[in-house]
Amino acid sequence: MNLIALFLGLFLERAATRLLHLREPRWLDPYFDRSLGWIERSSGPVAIALAVILVALPVIPIAWLQHAFGHVLFGVVYIAFAAFVLFFSLGPRDLGSEVEDYAAAVASGDAAQIERAAKILTESDLPRETRVRDLAVEEAVLVQANNRIFGVLFWFVLLGPAGAWLYRVADLMRRRAVFEAGRKAASGEGEPRCLQVVQSLYGVLAWVPARLLALGYAMAGSFEEAVSDWKSYYESCSDKFFHVNDAILAAAGRGALQEEPAAPGESSLRPVRAAMALVRRTLLVWVTVISLLTLAGQVA
């Protein structure tokens, strides 16, 4: 049933993403703000345990409904419910649309629009130097694919709708913590302690799908170069635990692409579009593998 719901959810994501702007549940922001405040006032194991509980609480109703709908009308209600939850867990914004928005901003030459579109993808302020910005956006596409799509699919296959929503809630809380940290940094305040706690929790959930996605990039692109760049990163790895996932995806993805760098002074969208094309090919690989494993499990 999860396989049918997966196809329906992905179909809805492709067909309705431009029409529906409801997938980013901003109504959860007050809950996240209070949660981050409680975590900030805690420390050590207490802060970690509190973060786990606060991420899990919004998932409980979904888990209960998942169990309740399991065999209603021969599973039809469950399939509809699972597809609905998956659709709202993907995103919350459409990655392809954001890449096109960035491309349109670059084509228009509007510096403010370029900065805004790049910041949405990278979740940080970027230098105005063209080559640095383009590289950062290219890597952000490869990283955001796990945040927006593949991590959700992994946990959906593993735990059903509750798993997909668990991953999305953790990512939304992480994004809120990053936003608040940026706001405080702009006003001269230090980095809040809750940021590392939330990022670490999200890093645990993203650990396995990030590595499966890196392998997917290798399968959908240049395998040898992707694996080589992946290994090369580990030889000089010094990032914090929750940053390693992103660095692996960027290294493996750029290795799989094997794109020629843009000439100095040239604003090239080719690497960014190539990264998005790699994401789409990898999604096809994932769906194919998930389908084959599901069918093999049913036959066995």
Side-chain angles (χ1 to χ4, degrees):
M1 290 189 292
N2 275 346
L3 181 61
I4 299 174
L6 185 147
F7 279 112
L8 285 175
L10 289 174
F11 172 78
L12 286 173
E13 200 272 341
R14 286 290 84 207
T17 190
R18 282 290 191 179
L19 300 177
L20 298 177
H21 302 281
L22 305 174
R23 291 194 301 173
E24 188 167 7
R26 301 304 299 269
W27 45 271
L28 279 173
D29 283 352
Y31 173 77
F32 291 145
D33 289 340
R34 287 194 294 271
S35 298
L36 293 174
W38 293 331
I39 297 170
E40 182 70 17
R41 291 190 290 272
S42 306
S43 61
V46 175
I48 296 173
L50 187 58
V52 171
I53 293 171
L54 293 170
V55 167
L57 280 177
V59 182
I60 293 176
I62 302 299
W64 181 82
L65 290 173
Q66 176 178 328
H67 176 74
F69 292 154
H71 301 287
V72 177
L73 293 178
F74 306 100
V76 173
V77 175
Y78 172 84
I79 291 173
F81 171 74
F84 177 82
V85 173
L86 178 60
F87 170 70
F88 276 91
S89 297
L90 291 167
R93 301 186 182 100
D94 179 63
L95 184 59
S97 298
E98 289 185 351
V99 169
E100 291 305 316
D101 290 342
Y102 173 75
V106 172
S108 70
D110 188 317
Q113 288 187 16
I114 293 173
E115 181 178 356
R116 178 179 177 275
K119 188 173 182 177
I120 289 174
L121 284 164
T122 62
E123 299 182 3
S124 62
D125 294 318
L126 294 174
R128 293 182 180 272
E129 204 277 315
T130 301
R131 296 185 68 190
V132 175
R133 185 195 67 217
D134 288 346
L135 174 60
V137 173
E138 177 190 2
E139 292 184 346
V141 171
L142 299 168
V143 170
Q144 290 294 348
N146 193 50
N147 298 341
R148 314 280 189 88
I149 305 169
F150 293 92
V152 174
L153 294 183
F154 173 82
W155 285 101
F156 178 81
V157 172
L158 195 66
L159 299 177
W165 184 235
L166 171 68
Y167 189 83
R168 175 53 54 229
V169 171
D171 181 52
L172 288 171
M173 184 175 287
R174 176 196 65 83
R175 289 163 58 89
R176 190 65 180 175
V178 169
F179 171 79
E180 288 299 321
R183 185 180 60 80
K184 289 184 178 181
S187 61
E189 301 180 45
E191 181 180 288
R193 289 178 300 175
C194 65
L195 177 62
Q196 184 168 340
V197 174
V198 173
Q199 285 183 318
S200 296
L201 175 58
Y202 177 75
V204 171
L205 294 175
W207 197 92
V208 174
R211 281 146 186 82
L212 291 176
L213 177 54
L215 180 60
Y217 285 156
M219 295 175 65
S222 179
F223 188 89
E224 291 185 3
E225 285 75 7
V227 173
S228 175
D229 286 4
W230 185 351
K231 289 181 178 179
S232 296
Y233 166 73
Y234 269 121
E235 292 176 359
S236 59
C237 174
S238 61
D239 287 331
K240 295 179 181 177
F241 166 74
F242 46 81
H243 288 156
V244 172
N245 293 333
D246 295 352
I248 286 173
L249 291 172
R254 296 193 71 237
L257 285 171
Q258 283 297 290
E259 287 285 329
E260 293 293 332
E266 176 188 2
S267 175
S268 174
L269 291 170
R270 186 185 66 236
V272 178
R273 293 188 184 277
M276 191 63 226
L278 178 65
V279 168
R280 293 191 173 108
R281 293 197 303 273
T282 306
L283 179 59
L284 180 59
V285 171
W286 266 50
V287 171
T288 301
V289 171
I290 291 170
S291 301
L292 291 175
L293 291 176
T294 302
L295 294 175
Q298 291 178 348
V299 171

